[in-house]
């Protein structure tokens, strides 16, 4: 029998808005790294919240801690939950934080997220401890390692969400902003009986320093999302990322080579950037307005939440009805990696592979 287990701390001012952090507790054999490091993170967050509650603290929004079942068998527990409560989640969910393999190593912090998480993630990483002793914070370690691997970047890398863990149904089906937190590295015992405490404590994460860092980041993001009057997700981080991703690709050249109009997409991208900037400007003014009303803040927050929902296309991507997010979804070429405008890029890839005899577009 598959079971999901939840812990709920009811919000005081906005109990009908939910912030969730989750991890799957099932494993192949021992699963010390995958996913017990994530379970340890979830438990420590729960312990911290319990201590705050004893002191009389209550969050503004409802906090939900989720322990998913049957992830390894096909992400079943979380997917069934999203399918069963789709309407409720689209109405109430603010964001979902996923911790699966929190620490497979101590070096390479490799978060993947919807782009609106970047400012919040960077703030949290600057306050978290660095697993490697030469760095005073996780942010400094993340930046140094990331720019060493990707020297063309101006800021630490955040990956695109694909599939392969419990955030998948939230972003791909319900249109909920998500982030997946992990510190990667060589992981030779993946899904084997050797993924045990000896391997974790001696090779993957001695002293549990990386697991601790991920727990700190997850907890600080959860706290901000649950208590800030204006939801700390960033519209322009999203629009600028999508614009840069498309304009820096070969998409325009590929479409024009087949006399397909690229101008419509470019115009829409420009409008997205403009609207996002207008939203952020209005949000900044609202933050400075001492006479602001509760309903004004609620309206701005709901606009942010519904922005993500607006990318959901109920029939789903071509031949992939479970992937309904037209902006960010798993690539058809590699389901573990994400793709921007996956229906478009996947169709071009299929067309090029078949000599433009088929595209996968219906």
């Amino acid at each position: 029998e598959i079971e999901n287990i939840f812990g709920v701390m009811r919000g005081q001012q906005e109990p009908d808005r939910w912030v969730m952090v989750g991890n799957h507790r099932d494993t192949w054999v021992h699963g010390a790294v995958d996913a017990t490091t994530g379970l340890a993170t979830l438990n420590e967050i729960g312990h911290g919240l319990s201590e705050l509650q004893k002191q009389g603290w209550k969050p503004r929004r409802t906090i939900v801690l989720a322990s998913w079942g049957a992830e390894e068998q096909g992400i079943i527990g979380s997917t069934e939950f999203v399918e069963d409560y789709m309407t409720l989640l689209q109405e109430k969910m603010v964001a979902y934080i996923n911790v699966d393999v929190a620490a497979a190593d101590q070096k390479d912090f490799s978060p993947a997220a919807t782009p609106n998480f970047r400012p919040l993630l960077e703030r949290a990483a600057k306050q978290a401890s660095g697993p490697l002793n030469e760095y005073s914070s996780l942010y400094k370690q993340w930046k140094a390692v990331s720019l060493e691997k990707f020297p063309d970047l101006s800021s630490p890398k955040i990956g695109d969400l694909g599939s392969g863990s419990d955030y998948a149904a939230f972003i791909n089906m319900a249109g909920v902003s998500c982030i997946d937190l992990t510190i990667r590295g060589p992981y030779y015992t993946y899904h084997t009986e050797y993924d045990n405490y000896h391997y974790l404590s001696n090779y993957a994460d001695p002293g549990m320093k990386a697991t601790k860092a991920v727990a700190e980041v997850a907890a600080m993001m959860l706290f901000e999302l649950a208590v800030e009057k204006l939801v700390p997700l960033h519209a322009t981080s999203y629009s600028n990322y999508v614009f840069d991703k498309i304009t820096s690709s070969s998409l325009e050249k590929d479409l024009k080579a087949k006399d397909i109009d690229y101008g419509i997409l470019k115009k829409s991208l420009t409008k997205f950037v403009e609207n996002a900037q207008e939203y952020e400007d209005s949000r900044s003014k609202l933050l400075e307005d001492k006479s602001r009303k509760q309903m004004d803040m609620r309206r701005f927050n709901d606009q942010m939440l519904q922005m993500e929902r607006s990318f959901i296309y109920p029939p789903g991507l071509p031949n992939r009805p479970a992937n309904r997010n037209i902006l960010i979804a798993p690539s058809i070429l590699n389901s573990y990696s994400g793709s921007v405008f996956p229906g478009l890029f996947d169709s071009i890839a299929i067309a090029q592979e078949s000599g433009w005899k088929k595209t996968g577009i219906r």
Side-chain angles (χ1 to χ4, degrees):
E1 183 177 341
I2 297 168
E3 289 185 334
N4 296 323
I5 301 170
F6 301 96
V8 179
M9 181 179 281
R10 184 176 171 83
Q12 193 167 31
Q13 287 84 19
E14 296 184 74
D16 60 338
R17 292 294 180 265
W18 304 346
V19 182
M20 185 180 291
V21 57
N23 154 268
H24 72 89
R25 68 186 178 281
D26 63 302
T27 67
W28 292 119
V29 201
H30 306 295
V33 171
D34 181 9
T36 307
T37 53
L39 181 59
T41 296
L42 187 67
N43 286 346
E44 281 305 300
I45 291 172
H47 177 72
L49 291 172
S50 176
E51 292 301 311
L52 286 173
Q53 190 175 47
K54 289 175 184 177
Q55 300 169 27
W57 179 82
K58 292 182 179 180
R60 180 181 186 86
R61 302 180 185 91
T62 295
I63 293 174
V64 181
L65 275 60
S67 176
W68 307 114
E71 188 267 2
E72 298 291 8
Q73 286 73 31
I75 323 180
I76 297 172
S78 56
T79 300
E80 291 296 318
F81 173 76
V82 171
E83 288 179 341
D84 286 347
Y85 298 100
M86 180 75 72
T87 302
L88 203 61
L89 294 172
Q90 290 186 322
E91 177 188 343
K92 298 178 182 295
M93 277 287 286
V94 173
Y96 174 69
I97 300 169
N98 193 64
V99 281
D100 186 338
V101 177
D105 195 61
Q106 294 187 334
K107 183 178 180 181
D108 188 6
F109 183 49
S110 303
T114 48
N116 50 359
F117 262 98
R118 178 176 282 278
L120 174 61
L121 175 59
E122 290 184 346
R123 285 196 301 275
K126 287 174 182 177
Q127 299 176 68
S129 53
L132 300 181
N133 293 331
E134 58 261 42
Y135 300 103
S136 59
S137 71
L138 179 61
Y139 178 81
K140 290 184 178 179
Q141 178 176 322
W142 175 29
K143 185 176 182 179
V145 175
S146 183
L147 298 187
E148 179 183 335
K149 291 174 62 179
F150 306 99
D152 293 337
L153 296 181
S154 58
S155 55
K157 182 175 176 60
I158 299 176
D160 294 325
L161 291 168
S163 185
S165 193
D166 290 297
Y167 59 80
F170 287 94
I171 179 63
N172 295 328
M173 299 175 71
V176 173
S177 294
C178 295
I179 186 166
D180 182 56
L181 300 172
T182 183
I183 296 182
R184 291 179 179 170
Y187 183 13
Y188 305 113
T189 65
Y190 178 63
H191 285 183
T192 72
E193 63 180 311
Y194 300 104
D195 185 2
N196 53 32
Y197 183 72
H198 175 77
Y199 174 79
L200 171 65
S201 59
N202 286 276
Y203 301 102
D205 191 16
M208 300 294 283
K209 293 179 180 179
T211 304
K212 177 176 179 285
V214 169
E216 289 172 347
V217 170
M220 283 183 277
M221 288 197 301
L222 181 70
F223 188 85
E224 271 202 55
L225 287 163
V227 304
E228 291 295 326
K229 292 180 179 179
L230 288 175
V231 172
L233 298 175
H234 209 256
T236 53
S237 293
Y238 213 131
S239 61
N240 291 337
Y241 175 80
V242 173
F243 185 88
D244 292 343
K245 193 84 169 179
I246 295 298
T247 55
S248 64
S249 72
S250 62
L251 182 62
E252 181 175 6
K253 182 184 72 174
D254 293 338
L255 292 179
K256 287 184 175 180
K258 293 297 176 179
D259 294 322
I260 300 173
D261 188 3
Y262 174 78
I264 297 173
L265 177 59
K266 186 174 183 180
K267 184 177 179 180
S268 297
L269 288 171
T270 302
K271 189 65 176 176
F272 183 27
V273 171
E274 291 172 354
N275 288 345
Q277 187 60 59
E278 183 179 339
Y279 170 86
E280 290 297 339
D281 291 344
S282 298
R283 185 177 181 275
S284 297
K285 291 177 182 177
L286 185 62
L287 281 170
E288 297 169 1
D289 185 1
K290 303 300 181 184
S291 63
R292 62 180 180 243
K293 295 179 176 62
Q294 175 72 24
M295 288 308 298
D296 291 332
M297 292 185 290
R298 177 84 163 194
R299 177 171 57 84
F300 265 80
N301 288 337
D302 284 351
Q303 285 178 342
M304 171 57 70
L305 307 188
Q306 292 306 315
M307 180 187 77
E308 195 80 62
R309 315 286 196 264
S310 69
F311 303 137
I312 294 297
Y313 176 59
L317 296 175
N319 305 315
R320 294 194 287 164
N323 291 310
R324 302 170 184 168
N325 194 316
I326 62 169
L327 191 60
I328 295 179
S331 168
I332 200 171
L333 305 175
N334 179 2
S335 64
Y336 279 86
S337 68
S339 174
V340 174
F341 283 113
L344 189 55
F345 279 101
D346 290 348
S347 295
I348 290 175
I350 292 170
Q352 290 174 334
E353 188 175 321
S354 65
W356 289 89
K357 294 178 181 178
K358 60 180 181 178
T359 65
I361 296 176
R362 63 183 179 197

